[in-house]
């Protein structure tokens, strides 16, 4: 039987004989597909399976820095949770048992304010108020409400928020122990927290002191440094004020100032603190002088600041006494300008914090309103004085008789003080337009004050050294995190842990009814913990337990009466003790930290990382371990828009996770798009997002899906019988060598947590090694060769290896896509897989790592580039449409290395070059039509590449120009068709 001609055969019939890919997975994500089922398999079922089947002794503990149970999730949450999930999934693929128990931070002012707001205002009212105004209004209303009612409202809000946030976290494919999540408002959690507090008390680290703290009048509570934000352009009425120096000069001044009426000039940006002045500070090594002024008399000022002072009071400087050193002034006394003449004098004290950078070189000290002032005065036995109440208003102790009681210190109080200073002629000059950096309450956006109150503190100074030492073996990503965390710890001596709010874990202190002295001992705390463990912490604010029951029996019998304190712990103390949740989930971890990894935003160096470290080291367990509670600390940046600007509703540049998952207009979207964006970011810096960036992400996701679909489609008819590596042609082995390289490189960057580098490696491999080479080269074999041919079976084996490795590399990042691929794979592809998905990192065989083959293909690719150059010229000048219209002749000297090398690849070169024929010649052949000649060297030998028209005719089945006559099929296709089963062969002629 001669070769079949196209005449009797319809092209459709011929097409049916081709073994084209038959993937069941759709080319686009079907939004109506069983996404929930796929999510469950690759998340919940996978987590459960690995928890039950992977070895406990090799567990990987990922500790969750708790998100705040307040409001909607944003891209920062997505960045954080998905980064954690990528880490966890790779650990599972690596054979480690993942322990990831999600948690929530539930206490604190923001939740309290939001609960009050939603309770007292309708949604319509809330919609017409700015967030700042609403927060301010709610904070004011909360000051008059019953504590038990506030706690009930806050708890309800937190519970609802957690349900909503958890559902969204899980919809992003974040796997974890969601059935066992913890909340800082859980009774068991609060009891564990109180026991840590008791351990710190036992160690002498908890004390109460009357000293300055950051205080928010708008919220009515003390604030931590981490709860502040700074307004760079806060307006203050800066003032120069004169304080009369007493006539009795110090010994060091001798008679130089005798008979000189002298006043010390100070400068302050907080004139409202003048009533609380207790001292003036000078620098011992600074030079001072006396300036004679026409309107204000003799003024004492630092010599370097005399010009600025005179400029402020609009006078020419007239120095009458100079060369006065600060050490000469130390010990002198002065009178408070607003107190009666018979009031006790105040001292001038030496202080290192006084500089000549601004002001007058003499610093007004109010130890009740500044930490430097407090520490200086405490050293000299001067007690802090703070005549300001919790609402930021002057009390009756502030300048009695001047009518300032009840005025807000930052507003009407400042105005009144300046008026009194003017009347008393103590005001030298005013700078009403002065702007500077000033702390604000991060929630209400209102300025705070520094105010001395009686607060509970943790002695950080006592454990500072041990805390820093414990970080020695902690790995930080990025490395700068070590110095950041160390500097924050090193810069603290104490931690104000008390808050004047109802919503939180109570500080278990009792107060003497008669003296207001606190009772806080190990025995009293343990007694209170026992009651709270039975009744819950809400009982601390209710009437269900009589007051006397809270008092331990040995104290009660003394007849002393006590009442409960109404202070709660700082929320950083709450979340900082979350390491207590790890005690029962870490397994056999001898010599290892509680958590292998903590991953949060870079702002947590001063927040959760620090509070976790301090509470751990301060506890008995931490002191005994002498190491940090975490083995690795990873931080990520913040989310910005495409122009690098902070996202803001007012700017209209906010992108929400839902905008990525369900994009408007063009775009693939989906959960994997959100996850691929996260993985593509250099998270160690601030990350950007926008239409252009998402366009690139969606393009990559589309490319991955198409590639996976092609791989899967070419395995639909595979019987699972793997070809021997030694039987594979060099092209297939080269593909495996490339696969080995990308697999090892990807595994390493996963271990180093460089996920953006993973994406770069996988995409480069996909585009260059697969799409532009191997998957293009194998199409002819896969489509046109007989189904059971050795070459096709070998190629399918390689495709199988590529698919399995490909899924390993992609699963941590786009698990929904890989799970969908897995669900469409045949049983021969999924053979041997454990668990609900392709669990386990697919290890390439060492035999694939053929360095010689990789080197050889560098030469093959160099020749290929010249063939492609000739083809491009033919397309441009000869009307050639496709590569298969072309043949190539490679010419190298007989017996040369180049000739032998090309001979080894001769049978594979037509497939590699995707041309109809490649011949080895001795000289440039004569061409009846056209040819393009390129000269090069190969392995040191001269080589010529000739590109010319293929000599045969186009086969209508495989399109290779190898048929003898027009319209006939080539010999290979002839053999393929005639080997078909009889019924299939006869159907071609039906």
């Amino acid at each position: 039987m001669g070769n079949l001609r196209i005449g009797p055969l319809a092209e459709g019939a011929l097409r049916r004989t081709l073994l084209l890919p038959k993937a069941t997975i759709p080319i686009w994500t079907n939004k109506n597909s069983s996404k929930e089922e796929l999510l469950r398999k690759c998340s919940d079922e996978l987590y459960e399976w690995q928890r039950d089947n992977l070895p406990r002794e090799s567990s990987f503990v990922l500790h969750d820095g708790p998100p705040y149970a307040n409001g909607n999730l944003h891209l920062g949450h997505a960045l954080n949770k998905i980064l954690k999930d990528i880490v966890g999934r790779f650990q599972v693929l690596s054979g480690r048992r993942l322990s990831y128990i999600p948690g929530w931070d539930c206490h604190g002012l923001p939740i309290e304010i939001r609960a009050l707001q939603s309770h007292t205002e309708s949604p319509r009212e809330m919609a017409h108020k700015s967030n700042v105004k609403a927060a301010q209004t709610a904070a004011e209303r909360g000051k008059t409400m019953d504590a038990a009612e506030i706690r009930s409202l806050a708890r309800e809000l937190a519970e609802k928020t957690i349900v909503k946030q958890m559902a969204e976290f899980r919809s992003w494919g974040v796997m974890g122990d969601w059935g066992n999540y913890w909340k800082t408002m859980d009774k068991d959690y609060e009891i564990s927290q109180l026991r840590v507090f008791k351990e710190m008390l036992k160690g002498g680290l908890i004390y109460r002191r009357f000293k300055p703290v950051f205080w928010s009048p708008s919220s009515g509570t003390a604030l931590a440094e981490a709860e502040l934000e700074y307004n760079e352009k806060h307006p203050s009425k800066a003032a120069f004020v004169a304080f009369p120096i007493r006539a009795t000069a110090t010994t060091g001044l001798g008679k130089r100032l005798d008979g000189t009426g002298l006043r010390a000039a100070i400068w302050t940006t907080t004139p409202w603190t003048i009533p609380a002045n207790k001292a003036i500070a000078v620098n011992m090594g600074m030079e001072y002088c006396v300036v004679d002024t026409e309107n204000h008399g003799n003024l004492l000022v630092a010599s370097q600041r005399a010009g600025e002072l005179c400029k402020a009071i609009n006078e020419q400087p007239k120095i009458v006494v100079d060369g006065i050193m600060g050490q000469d002034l130390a010990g002198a006394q002065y009178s408070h300008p607003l107190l009666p003449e018979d009031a006790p004098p105040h001292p001038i004290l030496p202080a290192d914090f006084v500089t000549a950078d601004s002001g007058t070189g003499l610093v007004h000290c109010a130890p009740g309103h500044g930490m430097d002032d407090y520490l200086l005065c405490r050293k000299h036995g001067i007690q802090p004085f703070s005549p300001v109440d919790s609402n930021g208003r002057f009390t009756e102790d502030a300048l009695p008789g001047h009518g300032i009681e009840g005025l807000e210190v930052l507003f009407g109080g400042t105005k009144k003080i300046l008026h009194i200073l003017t009347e008393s002629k103590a005001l030298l000059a005013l700078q009403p337009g002065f702007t500077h950096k000033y702390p604000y309450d991060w929630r209400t956006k209102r300025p705070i004050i520094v105010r001395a109150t009686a607060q509970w503190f943790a002695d950080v100074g006592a454990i500072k050294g041990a805390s820093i030492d414990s970080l020695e073996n902690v790995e930080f990503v990025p490395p700068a995190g070590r110095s950041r965390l160390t500097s924050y710890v090193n810069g603290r001596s104490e931690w104000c842990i008390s808050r004047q709010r109802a919503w939180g874990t109570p500080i278990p202190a009792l107060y003497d009814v008669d003296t207001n002295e606190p009772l806080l001992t190990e025995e009293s705390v343990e007694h209170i913990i026992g009651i709270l463990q039975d009744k819950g912490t809400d009982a601390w604010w209710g009437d269900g337990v009589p007051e006397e029951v809270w008092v331990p029996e040995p104290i009660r019998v003394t007849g002393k009466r006590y009442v409960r304190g109404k202070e709660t712990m700082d929320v950083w103390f709450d979340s900082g003790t979350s390491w207590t949740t790890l005690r029962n989930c870490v397994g056999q971890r001898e010599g290892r930290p509680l958590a292998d990894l903590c991953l949060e935003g870079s702002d947590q160096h001063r927040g959760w990382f620090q509070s976790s470290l301090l509470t751990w080291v301060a506890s008995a367990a931490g002191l005994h371990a002498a190491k940090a509670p975490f083995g690795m600390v990873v931080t990520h940046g913040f989310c910005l828009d495409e122009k690098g600007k902070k996202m803001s509703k007012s700017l209209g540049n906010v992108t929400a996770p839902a905008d990525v998952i369900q994009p408007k207009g063009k775009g693939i979207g989906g959960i994997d798009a959100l996850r691929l964006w996260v993985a593509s970011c250099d998270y160690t810096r601030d990350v950007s997002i926008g239409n252009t960036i998402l366009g690139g992400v969606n393009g990559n996701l589309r490319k991955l899906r198409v590639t996976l679909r092609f791989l899967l489609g070419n395995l639909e008819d595979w019987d699972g019988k793997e070809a021997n590596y030694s039987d594979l042609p060099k092209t297939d082995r080269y593909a495996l060598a490339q696969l080995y390289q990308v697999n090892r490189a990807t595994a390493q960057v996963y271990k180093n947590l460089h996920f953006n580098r993973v994406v770069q490696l996988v995409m480069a491999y996909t585009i260059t090694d697969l799409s532009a080479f191997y998957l293009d080269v194998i199409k002819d074999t896969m489509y046109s060769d007989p189904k059971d041919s050795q070459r096709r079976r070998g190629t399918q084996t390689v495709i199988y290896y590529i698919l399995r490795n490909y899924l390993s590399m992609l699963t941590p990042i786009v698990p929904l896509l890989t799970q969908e691929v897995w669900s469409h794979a045949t049983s021969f592809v999924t053979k041997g897989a454990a668990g609900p998905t392709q669990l386990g990192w697919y290890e390439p065989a060492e035999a694939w790592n053929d360095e010689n083959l990789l080197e050889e293909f560098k030469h093959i690719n160099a020749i290929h580039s010249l063939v492609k150059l000739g083809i491009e010229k033919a397309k441009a000048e000869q009307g050639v449409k496709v590569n298969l219209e072309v043949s190539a002749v490679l010419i190298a000297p007989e017996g040369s290395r180049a000739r032998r090398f090309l001979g080894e690849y001769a049978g594979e070169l037509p497939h590699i070059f995707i041309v109809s024929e490649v011949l080895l010649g001795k000289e440039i052949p004569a061409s009846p039509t056209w040819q393009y000649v390129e000269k090069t060297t190969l392995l040191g030998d001269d080589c010529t590449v000739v590109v010319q028209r293929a000599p045969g005719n186009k086969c209508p089945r495989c399109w290779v120009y190898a048929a003898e006559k027009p319209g006939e099929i080539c010999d290979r296709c002839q053999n393929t068709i005639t080997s078909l089963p009889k019924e299939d062969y006869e159907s071609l002629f039906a």
Side-chain angles (χ1 to χ4, degrees):
M1 181 175 61
N3 278 8
L4 294 171
R5 293 182 58 81
I6 186 63
L9 295 172
E11 283 198 38
L14 275 180
R15 183 178 177 83
R16 289 199 304 273
T17 70
L18 294 174
L19 301 174
L20 299 176
K22 297 178 180 178
T24 58
I25 185 173
I27 194 167
W28 303 118
T29 302
N30 184 356
K31 295 181 179 179
N32 297 321
S33 63
S34 54
K35 184 184 75 173
E36 288 74 18
E37 181 182 353
L38 294 174
L39 262 180
R40 187 180 68 254
K41 284 184 176 297
C42 70
S43 296
D44 294 348
E45 290 184 18
L46 175 59
Y47 188 87
E48 292 171 7
W49 187 93
Q50 63 89 33
R51 182 183 58 193
D52 296 337
N53 290 275
L54 295 182
R56 184 176 176 85
E57 58 272 15
S58 66
S59 63
F60 181 87
V61 178
L62 176 55
H63 186 35
D64 199 23
Y68 205 50
N70 183 34
N72 297 323
L73 298 181
H74 51 69
L75 275 180
H77 291 105
L79 179 66
N80 180 265
K81 288 291 186 182
I82 292 172
L83 284 174
K84 290 175 181 174
D85 193 59
I86 294 173
V87 172
R89 286 179 181 274
F90 178 72
Q91 293 299 325
V92 171
L93 281 175
S94 302
R96 298 188 68 179
R97 179 180 181 272
L98 175 65
S99 174
Y100 175 55
I101 305 175
W104 269 270
D105 199 356
C106 305
H107 290 141
L109 184 61
I111 291 176
E112 184 176 324
I113 287 177
R114 191 175 183 86
L116 290 169
Q117 184 184 354
S118 60
H119 175 68
T120 57
E121 297 180 359
S122 67
R124 184 181 183 87
E125 289 175 313
M126 292 171 63
H128 284 79
K129 277 189 177 181
S130 69
N131 291 337
V132 174
K133 184 64 177 176
Q136 294 168 358
T137 303
E140 287 298 320
R141 289 178 178 175
K143 293 176 182 179
T144 60
M145 288 183 66
D146 178 70
E149 184 180 4
I150 292 174
R151 288 177 63 83
S152 176
L153 293 172
R155 184 179 297 278
E156 181 182 3
L157 173 66
E159 290 284 8
K160 289 180 179 178
T161 304
I162 288 171
V163 171
K164 183 178 179 182
Q165 289 185 355
M166 186 191 301
E168 193 165 359
F169 284 144
R170 298 179 77 171
S171 76
W172 298 340
V174 178
M175 67 174 187
D177 194 352
W178 295 105
N180 193 34
Y181 67 94
W182 52 267
K183 309 185 291 291
T184 60
M185 64 181 181
D186 287 339
K187 184 179 74 172
D188 290 345
Y189 186 99
E190 292 177 315
I191 295 302
S192 295
Q193 178 181 337
L194 287 167
R195 293 204 178 280
V196 172
F197 177 85
K198 179 191 168 186
E199 289 183 32
M200 294 173 67
L201 178 67
K202 180 180 179 180
L205 299 177
I206 304 295
Y207 58 88
R208 188 169 176 81
R209 183 171 291 165
F210 184 79
K211 61 174 292 184
V213 295
F214 295 118
W215 186 271
S216 172
S218 55
S219 297
T221 184
L223 297 179
E225 172 71 29
E227 295 172 300
L228 304 178
E229 60 184 27
Y230 286 85
N231 182 348
E232 298 284 346
K233 296 183 178 180
H234 173 77
S236 286
K237 294 182 179 179
F240 290 89
V241 182
F243 286 70
I245 302 292
R246 288 291 178 105
T248 53
T250 64
T251 305
L253 285 175
K255 296 184 176 295
R256 299 183 66 190
L257 298 180
D258 281 359
T260 303
L262 183 63
R263 295 194 294 173
I266 67 95
W267 178 78
T268 179
T269 59
T270 54
W272 62 268
T273 62
I274 295 293
N277 173 271
K278 290 293 182 180
I280 289 177
V282 295
N283 190 307
M284 295 277 279
M286 192 181 294
E287 182 181 301
Y288 294 83
C289 66
V290 177
V291 177
D292 180 18
T293 68
E294 182 177 346
N295 297 313
H296 304 289
N298 293 325
L299 299 176
L300 180 66
V301 63
S303 298
Q304 289 179 257
R305 304 302 301 172
E308 290 298 319
L309 172 64
C310 292
K311 181 180 178 181
I313 63 176
N314 197 25
E315 291 194 26
Q316 292 297 322
K318 299 175 185 177
I319 299 177
V320 295
V321 182
D322 59 6
I324 304 170
M325 298 307 295
Q327 62 186 8
D328 298 327
L329 294 172
Q333 297 179 324
Y334 68 93
S335 300
H336 194 296
L338 302 184
L339 294 180
E341 292 185 4
D342 59 351
H346 295 333
I348 294 179
L349 304 174
D352 292 337
F353 60 76
V354 179
T355 69
D357 296 336
S358 61
T360 64
L362 296 103
V363 176
H364 136 69
C365 293
H369 298 297
M371 186 51 65
D372 286 338
D373 303 7
Y374 168 78
L375 294 174
L376 174 65
C377 290
R378 183 185 177 193
K379 181 179 178 181
H380 292 273
I382 301 172
Q383 297 300 312
F385 175 54
S386 180
V388 180
D389 66 16
S390 61
N391 293 316
R393 299 175 182 272
F394 282 122
T395 68
E396 60 182 6
D397 297 324
L399 299 182
H402 284 83
I404 66 172
E405 180 184 352
L407 296 177
E408 289 185 279
V409 297
L410 291 175
F411 305 102
T414 294
K415 183 177 180 181
K416 182 68 173 179
I417 291 296
L418 290 173
H419 175 72
I420 296 171
L421 288 170
T422 301
E423 285 190 332
S424 65
K425 301 188 183 305
L427 184 65
L428 301 174
L430 183 64
Q431 293 177 290
F434 182 78
T435 59
H436 62 121
K437 183 178 179 180
Y438 192 86
Y440 276 52
D441 183 328
W442 73 284
R443 183 60 187 175
T444 64
K445 312 299 182 185
R446 298 289 293 274
I448 63 100
I449 61 175
V450 176
R451 168 180 177 248
T453 62
Q455 301 286 343
W456 290 102
F457 294 89
D459 186 357
V460 175
I463 58 172
K464 184 185 301 185
S467 298
I468 293 173
D469 291 344
S470 73
L471 297 175
E472 181 179 353
N473 295 319
V474 176
E475 183 179 352
F476 285 84
V477 178
R482 179 184 302 279
S483 58
R484 268 178 67 87
L485 181 54
T486 299
S487 65
Y488 279 121
V489 173
N490 211 28
R492 297 182 76 170
S493 59
E494 56 188 5
W495 173 8
C496 179
I497 61 172
S498 52
R499 295 293 181 270
Q500 290 62 47
R501 307 306 304 179
W503 180 229
T505 301
I507 291 181
L510 302 171
Y511 292 88
D512 190 301
V513 173
D514 299 318
T515 65
N516 202 37
E517 285 298 310
L519 173 65
L520 188 73
T521 64
E522 291 179 61
E523 294 74 21
S524 68
V525 171
E526 184 58 40
H527 175 74
I528 291 169
I529 288 175
I531 299 174
L532 296 177
Q533 198 159 16
D534 180 43
K535 303 292 185 180
T537 55
D538 284 343
W540 186 257
W541 279 268
D543 299 326
V545 179
E547 204 72 62
E548 62 273 11
V549 174
W550 297 100
V551 183
E553 182 64 25
I555 303 296
R556 200 185 313 162
V557 297
T558 65
K560 288 187 176 182
R561 294 180 301 132
Y562 288 88
V563 294
R564 288 159 282 167
K566 300 302 180 184
E567 295 163 304
T568 55
M569 292 189 197
D570 177 15
V571 291
W572 292 113
F573 198 102
D574 286 10
S575 60
T577 54
S578 61
W579 51 262
T580 60
T581 65
L582 301 176
R583 287 170 166 167
N584 297 322
C585 71
V586 295
Q588 301 173 15
R589 299 176 58 86
E590 195 67 36
R592 291 167 59 189
L594 281 177
D596 290 287
L597 173 67
C598 291
L599 188 158
E600 299 301 327
S602 56
D603 57 334
Q604 296 307 318
H605 288 118
R606 73 170 186 170
W608 184 65
F609 294 137
Q610 185 183 177
S611 63
S612 297
L613 177 67
L614 294 176
T615 56
W616 164 252
V617 172
S619 71
L623 285 172
H624 177 72
K627 61 175 61 178
F630 31 66
M632 179 182 286
V633 170
V634 179
T635 53
H636 60 77
F638 297 95
C639 296
L640 309 174
D641 71 6
E642 206 156 24
K643 297 180 180 178
K645 293 183 178 179
K646 184 178 179 181
M647 292 188 186
S648 168
K649 289 183 179 179
S650 61
L651 295 176
N653 65 342
V654 175
T655 300
D659 298 329
V660 182
I661 296 171
Q662 296 178 324
K664 297 177 181 177
K666 296 181 179 180
I668 295 177
I671 296 163
D672 284 325
L674 178 65
R675 295 179 63 98
L676 186 57
W677 167 75
V678 170
S680 301
C681 298
D682 178 2
Y683 65 81
T684 61
R685 305 177 180 182
D686 290 344
V687 300
S688 297
I689 192 169
N691 290 334
T692 302
I693 293 170
L694 289 176
V697 169
N698 281 314
N700 285 341
L701 187 58
R702 184 184 298 112
K703 184 66 177 176
L704 293 174
R705 185 177 186 86
V706 169
T707 304
L708 284 165
R709 185 175 184 273
F710 180 84
L711 293 171
L712 198 61
N714 279 288
L715 292 174
E716 280 294 310
D717 61 355
W718 186 50
D719 59 8
K721 296 178 181 178
E722 299 177 32
N724 293 325
Y725 177 75
S726 59
D727 294 333
L728 298 177
K730 289 192 174 185
T731 307
D732 286 340
R733 281 186 273 168
Y734 175 57
L736 293 179
Q738 290 178 311
L739 180 60
Y740 182 95
Q741 297 287 329
V742 73
N743 180 288
R744 284 291 179 257
T746 303
Q748 188 58 49
V749 291
Y750 262 125
K751 291 174 184 176
N752 296 335
L753 309 184
H754 298 159
F755 307 130
N756 62 325
R757 181 67 181 139
V758 171
V759 175
Q760 292 166 7
L761 285 169
V762 171
M763 293 312 303
Y765 172 70
T766 302
I767 295 168
T768 304
D769 297 342
L770 293 184
S771 296
F773 180 69
Y774 186 69
L775 299 187
D776 208 16
V777 167
I778 65 172
K779 287 178 181 177
D780 182 61
T781 296
M782 290 301 301
Y783 298 174
S784 303
D785 279 6
K787 179 179 179 180
D788 296 326
S789 69
Q790 181 177 347
R791 184 181 183 94
R792 190 173 188 275
R793 181 183 297 278
T795 299
Q796 280 190 306
T797 300
V798 174
I799 292 173
Y800 165 70
Y801 293 150
I802 291 174
L803 178 64
R804 290 298 300 267
N805 280 270
Y806 212 72
L807 292 176
S808 286
M809 295 186 291
L810 289 175
T811 286
I813 295 173
V814 286
L816 197 64
L817 172 59
T818 57
Q819 184 64 45
E820 185 179 2
V821 170
W822 198 246
S823 69
H824 284 270
T826 67
S827 60
F828 294 116
V829 173
T830 61
K831 61 183 178 180
T837 184
Q838 68 287 354
L839 192 65
W841 185 264
Y842 200 81
E843 293 291 339
E846 284 299 323
W848 301 355
N849 187 25
D850 191 333
E851 296 287 349
N852 292 330
L853 188 63
L854 290 169
E855 192 64 30
E856 286 181 4
F857 260 85
K858 290 181 181 178
H859 302 303
I860 294 296
N861 291 335
I863 299 297
H864 190 190
S865 66
L866 296 179
V867 173
K868 287 190 287 187
L869 179 62
I871 291 173
E872 290 305 315
K873 290 180 179 179
K875 288 180 177 179
E877 299 173 9
Q878 306 299 333
V880 169
K881 301 296 183 184
V882 295
N883 292 17
L884 290 174
E885 293 182 44
V886 168
S887 68
V889 180
L890 308 180
I891 302 166
E894 287 284 355
S896 65
R897 289 182 63 199
R899 182 80 176 194
R900 290 194 299 272
F901 175 75
L902 292 173
E904 292 174 5
Y905 280 87
E908 298 187 51
L909 292 178
H911 295 282
I912 295 172
F913 297 165
I914 314 179
V915 296
S916 288
E917 182 182 61
V918 176
L919 299 175
L920 299 184
K922 298 180 181 179
E923 58 185 18
I924 299 175
S927 174
T929 53
W930 51 263
Q931 62 182 199
Y932 295 94
V933 179
E934 301 291 341
K935 301 284 188 179
T936 187
T937 59
L938 176 63
L939 298 174
D941 299 317
D942 292 335
C943 183
T944 303
V945 177
V946 180
V947 173
Q948 58 189 22
R949 183 176 295 280
N953 294 288
K954 180 181 179 181
C955 172
R957 179 174 181 269
C958 68
W959 295 4
V960 175
Y961 282 66
E964 290 186 13
K965 299 177 182 179
E968 289 185 348
I969 61 175
C970 66
D971 290 342
R972 178 185 60 163
C973 290
Q974 172 81 6
N975 293 334
T976 300
I977 290 176
T978 55
S979 66
L980 292 173
K982 181 179 179 181
E983 60 273 16
D984 292 340
Y985 179 80
E986 291 177 348
S987 69
L988 297 174
F989 303 92

